[in-house]
Amino acid sequence: MNSAEAVMTLDRRVPVTVQVHALLRQRILRLQLKPGEALSEKELSVQLGVSRTPVREAFIRLSEEGLVDIFPQRGTLVSPIRMDEIKEAQFLRDILETAIVRRAAQEIDEVSLLQIEANLQRQEISLQQKDYIEFMELDEEFHRLLCQSISLPRAWRVIHAVKGQLDRVRFMGLPQPGHADLMVRQHGAIFNAIRAGDAELAETEMRIHLQAIWGSIELMTNDNSEFFET
């Protein structure tokens, strides 16, 4: 982590551990911290301007999410991207998110529809600007808003927790020609099915969307084989 990204601006309303975890998680998912990279509890505490305790606790949470490996007496490394964990995350997402859009097609309110539509418009703008970091954040928000629209915030927390390995591949795949455009079209198809109240179509479109990642995974494992553990 370079010095330009050093001391955190802390929000005193939020526990320090939560903020350290969120920052490190974000940097791992964006590949600013790469698979196999060593993480020093001492160095990070100095760079972030916090004590070692929240860094240690953040490492534990990241380990539970499969994003770092902690080796007693050896240290902590950013984990490789593990195919078994990707497959498990995809399995869980398929179960949860297809059920969520089915229910949303039956129950969503006008306020939620407007929020999701605004999100899709911002996705288009970020794509035009090739701002893949913002696009990834908007993609996250799109899926979170679907959960929020039917009052299932805990479902989103489960999805968010299991898909860290997937998100690293998704971020790597965004610059591929046509990939982000496809994601926007798929998001639009899901939204249109929900707005039309068509639960069957919403489920089908979500399943198509979730399966699209496998094309990226094949390309990424060929181009960045050192990041993966198969």
Side-chain angles (χ1 to χ4, degrees), residues 129-143:
Q129 297 172 342
K130 293 186 174 9
D131 187 340
Y132 296 121
I133 288 177
E134 182 180 41
F135 182 84
M136 191 76 165
E137 291 171 352
L138 291 168
D139 177 275
E140 287 278 292
E141 184 183 69
F142 173 79
H143 289 271

Side-chain angles (χ1 to χ4, degrees), residues 7-67:
V7 178
M8 293 177 65
T9 300
L10 293 175
D11 184 340
R12 299 299 172 186
R13 299 166 298 178
V14 180
V16 175
T17 298
V18 172
Q19 296 179 72
V20 173
H21 168 263
L23 178 65
L24 294 178
R25 188 180 195 276
Q26 180 185 79
R27 290 180 179 172
I28 291 170
L29 298 190
R30 294 177 181 174
L31 300 174
Q32 293 163 336
L33 295 170
K34 293 180 171 53
E37 187 169 339
L39 301 178
S40 166
E41 184 181 298
K42 180 179 179 181
E43 289 178 9
L44 283 168
S45 67
V46 171
Q47 290 170 347
L48 299 176
V50 299
S51 71
R52 293 177 68 164
T53 299
V55 176
R56 185 181 310 121
E57 292 173 350
F59 281 179
I60 293 169
R61 288 188 60 186
L62 291 166
S63 175
E64 291 168 350
E65 294 174 343
L67 294 174

Side-chain angles (χ1 to χ4, degrees), residues 78-107:
V78 178
S79 71
I81 301 171
R82 297 186 171 102
M83 291 302 299
D84 285 348
E85 292 179 25
I86 287 177
K87 291 173 183 176
E88 183 176 19
Q90 278 292 91
F91 176 77
L92 293 170
R93 287 192 76 188
D94 187 82
I95 293 170
L96 287 170
E97 296 207 54
T98 53
I100 285 163
V101 295
R102 283 188 68 91
R103 186 163 160 185
Q106 297 161 346
E107 299 180 8

Side-chain angles (χ1 to χ4, degrees), residues 1-7 47:
M1 189 180 305
N2 70 48
S3 58
E5 298 174 323
V7 178
Q47 290 170 347

